[in-house]
Amino acid sequence: MTTSGGAAPGTAGTAAGGMTGVPGLAAGRLWAATRFPYLASGLFGAQVIAVHDIGTVAVDDSWRLHADPALTAQWTPAQLGSVLVHHVCHLLRAHAERAASAGVVPDTARLWVRCCDAEINDDLVPAGLELPGSPVLPAHLGAEPGRLAEQYFAAPRPPDVPSGNPEEPDGGRLDCGSGADGLRRPWDSGGPAGLPPWQARLLARQVAQDCLRHGREAGNVPAGLLRWAGDLLEPAVDWRKALAAELRRAVADAAGAVDYSYRRPSRRASVAGDVVLPALRRPVPDIAVVCDTSGSMSDDLLAMALAEVEGLLRAVGLARQLRVLACDTAVGPVRRVSSARQVELVGGGGTDMGAGIAAASSLRPRPAIAVVLTDGFTPWPDEPPRGMRVVVGLLGDDPPEAPDWARAVRVPDG
Amino acid sequence: MKAVGRRTAGAQQHDAAVAALGVAVAARVPVLLWGAPGTGKTSTIRAMAEKMGWPCETVIASIREPSDFAGLPVVVGDGVRFAPPGWARRLAEAGRGLLFLDELSTAPPAVQAALLRVVLERVVGDLALPADVAVVAAANPPEQAADGWDLSAPLANRLCHLAWEIDPGAVADGLAGGWAAPTVPALPDRWEAGIGLARGLVAAFLHVRPALACAPPADAASAGRGWPSPRTWDMAARLLAAVDAAGAGEETRSALVRGCVGEGAGVEFLAWLVEMDLPDPEAVLADPGSFVLPKRGDRAYAAVAAVAAVVAADPTPQRWVAGWQVLGQAAADAPDVAAVAARTLARCRPDGTPPPAEVKLFAPVLRDAGLLGG
C-alpha cells in the first residue's frame, strides 16, 4: 500500500554529488524556494534532467525539466531559480492540457506559449522573478494584465502591435517545452520516468494549499496565484449546468416525461394474458417563472437566467407551457411568453417572493414547477407550496440563502 | 509501469480507465463508463467479454420497461410471480458472464429505480444471478445526450464511475492497429484477504475526516456521479485490495477510488495515503540516525520541513541539535532541500546553545544563492 517507491525516482535520490549534472541547480532552487516559499513543494517536486545541446530549459507534463547544462552555466542562481518558478507555473496552471482545449496547433503554438508566459509573468515579475532575457508581459500582447492565457490567445491583435517582443529577436526565445503547449518534443521520450498524472494532480493541490495558507499567514502571495489556488481547490460550479440539472430533475419528476405507471392497465394487457403490464403516462407539466423585478435586481443577469430557463424548456419540449410573472411586493400580470425577449420588467421597490409563489400556485391550470429568479433579498413563506416544486435561481454575487424546501442554484455575476 | 513519460497524460489516463475497468470486473464491483457517444465504450466492453470467453448480455436500459429488471408480474393462482426476462435466465444458466447495461443515463427514472437491485445485488425479479456475473454499464453525460436524465443518487451510489475520455493519440493507434481489448486481471485465490487491510486504511482515514463518511451531494448535477457513503467506501476498499492483488498501477487505483467516492473525497483520501508514507517527525527527532530521506524531491522537502517545524514549535537544546543532525544527513543528497529547512532552524536557536558542526555544510550553497547574511 505504499505510494512512493520505485515508480517515480525524484531529484533528491539522484542529486548526490554532481546535482544531476546541471550546474548551479542547488543554488538556483534554493533561491527560488526562499523567494517563493509557497511554491517550494512544486519546485522540489519537479525533476531536473541534464540534456546536452538542446539550447533551452524545457518542461513536460510529467513534471520533468530538461535543462541544457551549457546554458544554465551562464545564468546566475536567481535567473535559473526564476526559470524553475516560471516552468513550475506552466505545470500548475495546466497549460499543456489547456492548449488542447484552446485548439493550439503547431502553427499557433508559439503565440499560445507567449500568452501563457504573460499569464504567469504578469504578477510574478513584480513579485521578484528575474528571468533571463526580457520576459513576455501582457503589454507586449497589447492586452490588460490579470487575464487568462485563453483570453490573450483569443483577443484580436491590433495590427500596430507586433506579435513579437521587439527587444527579443526570434533566436533569443527559449523553448518552454511540451509542458506549455502540449506538443511533444524529441527529448520528452528519454530520461527517467516522471510523475504519473494523478500524482501530478496531488502535487498541484499541495502547492495550492501552501499558497492559500501562506496568503493567510504572510499575505505576500500574488493575487493571480491565490485566484488559481482558490479555483483549483474549490472549483466553481457552472450555474448553467446546475440550473439545467435542477430543472431536468423537476421536469422529470413532475412529468415523468415518458414514465411507467401501474395506475391504469396497459392497452396491451389484453394480448399479454396473465401478465400485468404498466401503462405509459405522459402528463405535460406547466411551468411558471416568477421574476423578481425589485430595484436591487440586475437586468442583464435576469435576462441571462431567463434565457437559460427558456432554452432548457425548449430542449425538453416544454417552451409553450411557460408563464412568466413579474413580482416585487405585488404581482404583475401573468404573461404566456414564447421567448425571453418578450418579458418586460416592470416593478421596482421592495420584494416579497412569497406573493409571487402564491400567485403562481393559484394559476389555473396549476403549474407543476415554479422557477423563482431573485437576488434573494426577500422574505420567504415558511412552508413549501402544495403540489408545486420550486427551483430558486439566486442571482448576483453573495446572495442570502434560499429556504430549505426549495432547490437553489447560484447564478454569479460575470 | 510501462513506458511512462513516452505517452501523454491524456493517453495515460485512458490506459488507467481501461485497466480500472478490468480490475472492477475482476473484483465484481459494478462499474459505469461515462463518455460521449461514439467513443468506443460498447465495443470495448464487448471485446473484453469475448477475450475472456464469457457470455455478454447487452441490455439497453433506455428502451426497457421497469418490469424487464424487476421481473414481469404474472398472476399465478392466488399470488403474483415476478418472471425474469430471457437475458437473466441465460446468464443464470451460464453461471457467469457480463451483464452490460447500455445507455443507462437515458433510462427513465422508473427504470433506474428498477435497476437498483439488479446492479448491486444481481437480483432480477425472483431470480438471483450467480455471483460470477459482473455488471458493467455505460452512459452519456446528460449534457451530451439530449434526452438524458441525471442518474438518480441511489443508483449512482451503487456504481464505480469511470471517465471514458478518448485521447487523440489512442484513436490514431486504435484505427491503425486495432483496438486493444482490456484484460481482466486474474486475481489470486486469496485476494479477498487484503480487503480487511484496505478497510482498515479507509477506517483510519474516516477517523480523521468523519464528515466524509457520508456526504450526499447537495446539487442535482453531482448527485449523478460517485459520492461518499458507507457503501461506496466499502466498494473503494474492495477495489483497493483488488488493485494491489492485480498489481495494477497507481493511476488505476486513483481512478477507481475517485470513481467510487467522488472526486473531492477520493483526492483527499489519496493525499492522506501519500502523507502516511512520510516519516513521523517526532520519531525522527528521537532517533536521528533512523532518518531516510524520501526519494522524490517534494516528499523529501515535506519530510525535512516537518522536522524543522516541530523543532521550531518546541525548541529545546536537545531537539534543536537532533534537528541539525537530520538536516546534516539530508544535505548529503539534497543540499538545497535541507538548506530551506536549515533557515527555519537557524531562526529558532535556543539561548546559549552553540551552533553545531552541521551548520557549516550549508554555507556554500547559501553563499551561491546569495542568501548568506540575509
Side-chain angles (χ1 to χ4, degrees):
Chain A
M1 199 56 62
T2 134
T3 39
S4 60
T11 53
T14 49
M19 282 306 286
T20 69
V22 178
L25 176 63
R29 218 158 43 176
L30 178 57
W31 178 90
T34 313
R35 198 60 70 90
F36 301 93
Y38 36 88
L39 297 177
S41 296
L43 287 164
F44 291 124
Q47 180 180 359
V48 183
I49 304 163
V51 188
H52 292 277
D53 303 324
I54 58 172
T56 186
V57 176
V59 67
D60 70 20
D61 59 9
S62 48
W63 287 76
R64 298 183 303 167
L65 285 157
H66 308 266
D68 188 340
L71 180 70
T72 59
Q74 303 165 14
W75 287 343
T76 65
Q79 284 178 323
L80 177 56
S82 298
V83 170
L84 295 179
V85 169
H86 178 89
H87 282 348
V88 163
C89 285
H90 274 312
L91 296 173
L92 292 176
R93 291 173 179 269
H95 281 153
E97 211 180 313
R98 284 160 56 188
S101 6
V104 172
V105 292
D107 282 347
T108 54
R110 165 129 196 244
L111 175 63
W112 167 256
V113 174
R114 290 174 58 82
C115 295
C116 293
D117 287 351
E119 179 186 302
I120 295 171
N121 293 345
D122 66 352
D123 56 12
L124 282 183
V125 167
L129 213 58
E130 297 176 25
L131 288 169
S134 56
V136 183
L137 292 171
H140 297 133
L141 303 167
E144 296 285 310
R147 305 264 171 85
L148 293 176
E150 282 86 352
Q151 291 168 308
Y152 297 136
F153 190 60
R157 250 158 299 280
D160 55 335
V161 177
S163 67
N165 182 350
E167 294 156 40
E168 181 193 359
D170 253 31
R173 196 186 73 102
L174 294 177
D175 183 0
C176 283
S178 60
D181 57 19
L183 305 171
R184 300 274 97 187
R185 299 290 193 278
W187 50 81
D188 284 353
S189 49
L195 291 192
W198 76 276
Q199 292 192 355
R201 267 198 305 276
L202 284 187
L203 184 53
R205 280 180 66 89
Q206 176 67 48
V207 176
Q209 280 163 351
D210 290 349
C211 283
L212 288 187
R213 194 178 53 239
H214 201 86
R216 271 194 308 272
E217 287 166 6
N220 58 353
V221 181
L225 266 180
L226 283 180
R227 210 164 39 236
W228 161 79
D231 286 350
L232 184 82
L233 294 177
E234 282 173 28
V237 180
D238 181 6
W239 64 268
R240 288 181 177 83
K241 208 167 161 182
L243 186 64
E246 289 298 350
L247 266 181
R248 263 200 306 268
R249 188 154 138 167
V251 169
D253 193 69
V258 181
D259 209 349
Y260 296 90
S261 166
Y262 285 96
R263 265 194 215 166
R264 285 190 299 140
S266 167
R267 282 181 297 171
R268 282 184 281 171
S270 59
V271 296
D274 282 342
V275 178
V276 184
L277 291 178
L280 281 175
R281 69 182 181 113
R282 193 180 193 281
V284 179
D286 261 49
I287 296 155
V289 177
V290 181
C291 293
D292 182 349
T293 58
S294 61
S296 52
M297 287 287 290
S298 142
D299 271 5
D300 292 350
L301 217 51
L302 184 59
M304 231 162 67
L306 201 55
E308 201 65 30
V309 169
E310 188 212 336
L312 279 163
L313 294 178
R314 194 181 293 272
V316 292
L318 292 174
R320 286 217 252 156
Q321 267 66 39
L322 182 65
R323 280 169 293 178
V324 177
L325 290 81
C327 168
D328 38 52
T329 44
V331 185
V334 179
R335 297 196 54 189
R336 199 173 269 265
V337 295
S338 54
S339 153
R341 285 185 299 277
Q342 296 173 9
V343 177
E344 288 167 39
L345 297 179
V346 292
T351 322
D352 183 6
M353 285 297 116
I357 293 173
S361 69
S362 63
L363 290 176
R364 290 294 177 269
R366 182 159 70 185
I369 301 157
V371 180
V372 181
L373 301 176
T374 173
D375 57 5
F377 295 96
T378 164
W380 294 97
D382 295 331
E383 295 286 315
R386 286 170 59 90
M388 192 169 78
R389 289 177 70 107
V390 179
V391 176
V392 177
L394 289 170
L395 276 51
D397 293 326
D398 214 14
E401 294 287 325
D404 293 340
W405 44 262
R407 307 289 309 184
V409 177
R410 285 167 190 277
V411 181
D413 207 346
Chain B
M1 195 167 289
K2 57 167 187 187
V4 176
R6 288 167 183 80
R7 308 205 56 181
T8 60
Q12 283 183 52
Q13 282 176 14
H14 185 71
D15 290 351
V18 172
L21 172 64
V23 171
V25 167
R28 303 288 184 272
V29 170
V31 61
L32 168 60
L33 306 182
W34 282 102
T39 48
K41 303 184 291 293
T42 304
S43 55
T44 305
I45 291 168
R46 292 217 178 115
M48 184 174 73
E50 198 171 305
K51 194 168 171 186
M52 283 191 299
W54 282 16
C56 175
E57 290 290 341
T58 305
V59 182
I60 297 187
S62 55
I63 56 164
R64 297 287 174 146
E65 301 183 356
S67 49
D68 289 337
F69 300 104
L72 286 153
V74 182
V75 181
V76 253
D78 54 351
V80 176
R81 207 168 59 81
F82 290 90
W87 54 262
R89 281 170 198 264
R90 286 194 293 276
L91 280 176
E93 276 161 23
R96 61 176 189 180
L98 214 60
L99 170 56
F100 175 35
L101 305 167
D102 209 352
E103 306 288 344
L104 200 60
S105 63
T106 41
V111 174
Q112 290 191 15
L115 274 167
L116 292 180
R117 286 201 77 195
V118 179
V119 166
L120 198 65
E121 296 162 48
R122 302 190 193 87
V123 173
V124 186
D126 291 337
L127 177 75
L129 295 177
D132 255 352
V133 171
V135 180
V136 180
N140 309 129
E143 56 270 25
Q144 282 168 352
D147 52 349
W149 275 270
D150 293 289
L151 225 52
S152 72
L155 183 56
N157 197 242
R158 282 167 165 81
L159 292 154
C160 173
H161 302 251
L162 297 177
W164 197 260
E165 275 158 21
I166 281 289
D167 179 70
V171 175
D173 289 352
L175 287 173
W179 304 93
T183 329
V184 174
L187 299 178
D189 280 344
R190 296 181 47 76
W191 76 271
E192 284 180 322
I195 296 177
L197 175 67
R199 280 203 184 119
L201 271 176
V202 170
F205 170 70
L206 292 180
H207 270 296
V208 188
R209 286 300 317 270
L212 290 180
C214 187
D219 58 309
S222 48
R225 297 299 176 98
W227 49 275
S229 78
R231 176 167 49 215
T232 49
W233 280 117
D234 197 55
M235 274 164 43
R238 192 177 170 83
L239 287 170
L240 280 176
V243 163
D244 278 1
E250 296 182 358
E251 189 72 31
T252 307
R253 178 164 66 172
S254 158
L256 286 168
V257 169
R258 286 180 293 128
C260 285
V261 298
E263 190 72 30
V267 168
E268 269 200 52
F269 177 64
L270 293 166
W272 177 82
L273 279 183
V274 171
E275 224 167 81
M276 281 236 312
D277 277 350
L278 292 177
D280 174 17
E282 291 291 352
V284 168
L285 280 182
D287 179 13
S290 71
F291 180 68
V292 180
L293 191 70
K295 282 250 183 290
R296 236 178 69 186
D298 56 318
R299 291 195 189 142
Y301 168 69
V304 174
V307 170
V310 296
V311 172
D314 178 19
T316 64
Q318 193 197 356
R319 287 161 66 86
W320 194 69
V321 171
W324 280 107
Q325 281 176 20
V326 172
L327 296 194
Q329 293 171 39
D333 281 334
D336 48 350
V337 172
V340 175
R343 284 165 59 89
T344 311
L345 275 195
R347 279 195 290 267
C348 66
R349 177 172 154 194
D351 291 335
T353 313
E358 285 91 357
V359 173
K360 289 197 195 73
L361 287 174
F362 298 103
V365 66
L366 287 170
R367 188 164 47 240
D368 285 350
L371 296 168
L372 214 57

